[in-house]
Amino acid sequence: MMESKQTRFYESVNRNFNKAAEFTSIPKGLLEQIRVCNSVYQMKFPVKIGNQYEVIEAYRVQHSHHRLPTKGGIRFSHLVNQEEVMALASLMTYKCAIVDVPFGGAKGGVKVSPRKYNALQLEKITRRYTTELIRKNFIGPGLDVPAPDYGTGAREMAWILDTYSTFNHGEIDAAACVTGKPENQSGIRGRTEATGRGVYYAIRQMLSYEEDCKALGIEPGLEGKTMVIQGLGNVGSYTGMISQDEGGASVIGVSEIEGTIYSPEGIDIQQLLNYRKDKGTIIGFPGSKKLDVREDWVKIPCDILVPAALESQIHKGNAKSVKAKVIAEAANGPITADAEEILLKKGILIIPDMYANAGGVTVSYFEWLKNLSHMRFGRMEKRFQHNSLYAIVSMVERLTGTTIGDREKDLLTKGAEEIDLVRSGLEDTMVTSYHNIREVMKRRKKIHDLRTAAFVNALDKIANDYIRLGIFP
Ligand code: GLU
């Protein structure tokens, strides 16, 4: 059953691709070259777990070599299979093109359930997987750069870097072989929150266009809007927290493996995370009610629905019950192509994955640049900015004959730190990219949905790259 679900995922990506391709003037052969996966590496390797040897199945798919390195996360899940990784790698290519991150798309998958292993065993698996990638030239700062995805995080990235460095002793750019690393091990501030923060900017941006909100029958702005989130992993948690804290949204429903909770008064995500850490479940969170059927998260009436878990969660079977005005695809591929047709007919606006969740790879790009430059962002300019601002504020004080408090002065004269620059770069990327996608939709009257517009935007850029490279003159 799972198999067919994953097949549907890759098919959905291709169906969406074909739908968008009709709106471009890209020659057929070039379209085919853009669509297919360039390299698919399937591996099986043994790892000794306790007294037993286990054969682990794993993949790395490089979808497009039109730009190098290729880029994309590594997923650890017992559901991983080749078609799923191919679909995810394809999405990475389009994602990078949309946000102008100069990489081709890739994705990795290791077919293991991380819950079944302890940290030492996971380290063994991760290091062995990395060794397989090294052997086939499937990893390197200029070749292919992995990152976290479902089931992996900064810890796994540190193991990958250490393994890579061991085999490439003295390679000056080794740190750029993987992103999403711990901050104190060549990582960058703001990477962990990046995907969720990007989803927040995407929603905020969508809601800033008055005429688009009017068409949906909602007021502009995120303040006071209701939100339901499926999945409290890294992406779902940060989307919820930042939307609440910075955007003033109210999260009224949360769904996780153990069930779905609902509270019209709003659920504080930080408190919910603390509760779950303590109790091992979201069920019973004070002030919330558990829904009888976990899958009914799709039915909760709300302004914004955020699927932040896995693919194919909104499908032909449940799409009719969606009562949201906007769906922000924080996960990759959470809506099947069949479901999308139903949702669009219902007038629901979908902010597509390849734009909405591109914040992760955007900040990965910043991390890669930081590693290649061997210097922290802000190191050169922070003090200069502070000194200039200090001089201006002091002059205003002198000219007006008033003085401001030390704290106020500190705030006004602060030079940009790495985290400020990362957030600024991310915000600008999300704002500009939304505008570009929306423009495609405005210009081409026959395109009625953001996914097709985003795809067209990506396809045109990738085709241009191929032509520029002289591959398709
Ligand atoms: N796994 C993330 C994604 O799906 C991040 C990839 C990256 O940072 O390279 O976009």
Side-chain angles (χ1 to χ4, degrees):
M1 195 207 130
M2 242 32 239
E3 194 63 42
S4 71
K5 205 170 180 178
Q6 304 313 335
T7 307
R8 281 212 302 272
F9 179 26
Y10 190 44
E11 264 174 32
S12 281
V13 174
N14 285 330
R15 241 169 85 181
N16 292 331
F17 179 101
N18 292 336
K19 183 174 163 191
E22 307 244 326
F23 294 101
T24 70
S25 51
I26 303 169
K28 217 166 150 227
L30 178 48
L31 274 176
E32 184 61 6
Q33 173 57 36
I34 296 173
R35 192 185 60 78
V36 296
C37 290
N38 292 174
S39 306
V40 181
Y41 175 22
Q42 190 214 90
M43 63 206 98
K44 290 209 166 94
F45 53 80
V47 177
K48 197 170 181 192
I49 304 289
N51 296 323
Q52 311 264 13
Y53 280 99
E54 276 187 33
V55 179
I56 310 278
E57 184 180 318
Y59 302 88
R60 182 73 183 172
V61 174
Q62 295 172 347
H63 170 258
S64 182
H65 293 153
H66 77 289
R67 285 203 183 221
L68 288 176
T70 52
K71 188 91 191 72
I74 296 172
R75 176 169 291 203
F76 279 13
S77 156
H78 66 289
L79 299 175
V80 156
N81 66 50
Q82 186 171 316
E83 292 230 326
E84 180 194 35
V85 186
M86 285 167 74
L88 291 164
S90 312
L91 287 176
M92 285 308 304
T93 297
Y94 311 127
K95 196 183 294 188
C96 289
I98 287 165
V99 291
D100 288 325
V101 164
F103 298 143
K107 201 75 158 203
V110 181
K111 199 179 172 76
V112 290
S113 173
R115 290 158 192 266
K116 268 183 48 196
Y117 302 95
N118 61 32
L120 222 65
Q121 293 164 339
L122 283 171
E123 179 173 352
K124 250 183 166 179
I125 296 169
T126 308
R127 285 185 183 277
R128 181 60 199 254
Y129 175 69
T130 310
T131 313
E132 297 295 328
L133 296 180
I134 295 168
R135 282 190 347 174
K136 294 274 194 254
N137 265 338
F138 263 64
I139 183 169
L143 292 174
D144 189 351
V145 182
D149 197 78
Y150 188 86
T152 59
R155 179 183 66 170
E156 284 73 16
M157 303 308 118
W159 292 331
I160 293 174
L161 171 58
D162 188 55
T163 311
Y164 182 84
S165 310
T166 309
F167 281 89
N168 293 279
H169 182 64
E171 184 177 326
I172 192 163
D173 289 329
C177 79
V178 62
T179 60
K181 301 177 292 286
E183 278 170 25
N184 61 0
Q185 286 177 69
S186 307
I188 193 166
R189 276 171 224 281
R191 175 61 185 87
T192 311
E193 63 165 28
T195 313
R197 177 168 287 279
V199 175
Y200 159 67
Y201 289 141
I203 298 170
R204 195 193 67 182
Q205 199 51 29
M206 185 268 123
L207 291 172
S208 71
Y209 292 91
E210 215 176 311
E211 65 172 288
D212 298 358
C213 292
K214 220 176 185 177
L216 293 169
I218 50 177
E219 291 293 315
L222 185 54
E223 182 80 40
K225 292 280 184 307
T226 54
M227 187 181 267
V228 170
I229 302 175
Q230 184 212 18
L232 260 199
N234 170 284
V235 182
S237 309
Y238 279 107
T239 302
M241 284 191 288
I242 299 170
S243 297
Q244 280 179 333
D245 301 346
E246 294 180 28
S250 169
V251 180
I252 57 164
V254 174
S255 183
E256 250 300 335
I257 308 177
E258 58 269 19
T260 301
I261 58 168
Y262 169 74
S263 166
E265 269 73 59
I267 298 160
D268 185 90
I269 299 298
Q270 183 61 64
Q271 282 178 21
L272 180 64
L273 288 170
N274 295 343
Y275 179 90
R276 190 175 193 225
K277 209 166 167 191
D278 196 31
K279 301 270 197 304
T281 175
I282 59 169
I283 310 299
F285 180 70
S288 74
K289 203 172 77 197
K290 174 180 181 274
L291 299 194
D292 293 338
V293 183
R294 182 183 73 155
E295 282 71 29
D296 282 355
W297 59 272
V298 282
K299 297 186 182 166
I300 303 176
C302 62
D303 295 313
I304 305 140
L305 187 60
V306 183
L310 287 170
E311 57 267 15
S312 312
Q313 298 300 299
I314 304 178
H315 44 79
K316 209 160 71 182
N318 62 9
K320 279 190 210 68
S321 339
V322 175
K323 293 190 189 68
K325 305 267 195 237
V326 176
I327 305 180
E329 291 189 318
N332 288 309
I335 301 176
T336 65
D338 285 338
E340 176 141 6
E341 281 176 21
I342 299 170
L343 297 167
L344 292 176
K345 270 195 202 116
K346 280 165 69 95
I348 295 169
L349 186 136
I350 300 167
I351 310 179
D353 50 6
M354 59 180 81
Y355 159 69
N357 69 29
V361 77
T362 301
V363 177
S364 274
Y365 171 47
F366 300 158
E367 181 177 334
W368 181 79
L369 290 172
K370 174 189 182 181
N371 296 149
L372 293 181
S373 73
H374 300 265
M375 191 166 60
R376 182 184 81 235
F377 286 110
R379 179 165 176 186
M380 302 293 273
E381 61 271 46
K382 184 183 148 189
R383 189 63 50 178
F384 179 79
Q385 281 175 347
H386 168 74
N387 291 341
S388 319
L389 291 167
Y390 200 89
I392 294 170
V393 172
S394 303
M395 185 186 280
V396 172
E397 281 182 328
R398 254 197 334 274
L399 292 175
T400 56
T402 47
T403 45
I404 56 172
D406 283 349
R407 269 190 54 200
E408 227 175 337
K409 202 162 181 173
D410 281 349
L411 216 73
L412 283 176
T413 61
K414 184 173 155 319
E417 313 233 16
E418 184 172 79
I419 184 70
D420 305 314
L421 293 167
V422 164
R423 286 180 180 161
S424 146
L426 174 59
E427 182 173 2
D428 188 56
T429 301
M430 296 308 289
V431 169
T432 312
S433 304
Y434 190 86
H435 176 78
N436 293 342
I437 297 168
R438 192 172 174 274
E439 280 298 299
V440 171
M441 207 158 87
K442 295 238 124 188
R443 265 202 321 272
R444 316 223 187 159
K445 294 279 175 260
K446 285 192 180 135
I447 301 179
H448 301 296
D449 64 289
L450 286 172
R451 190 188 315 280
T452 306
F455 245 120
V456 167
N457 184 245
L459 292 181
D460 282 340
K461 287 183 190 171
I462 299 164
N464 265 332
D465 280 340
Y466 269 110
I467 290 162
R468 194 176 42 82
L469 291 169
I471 298 172
F472 278 84

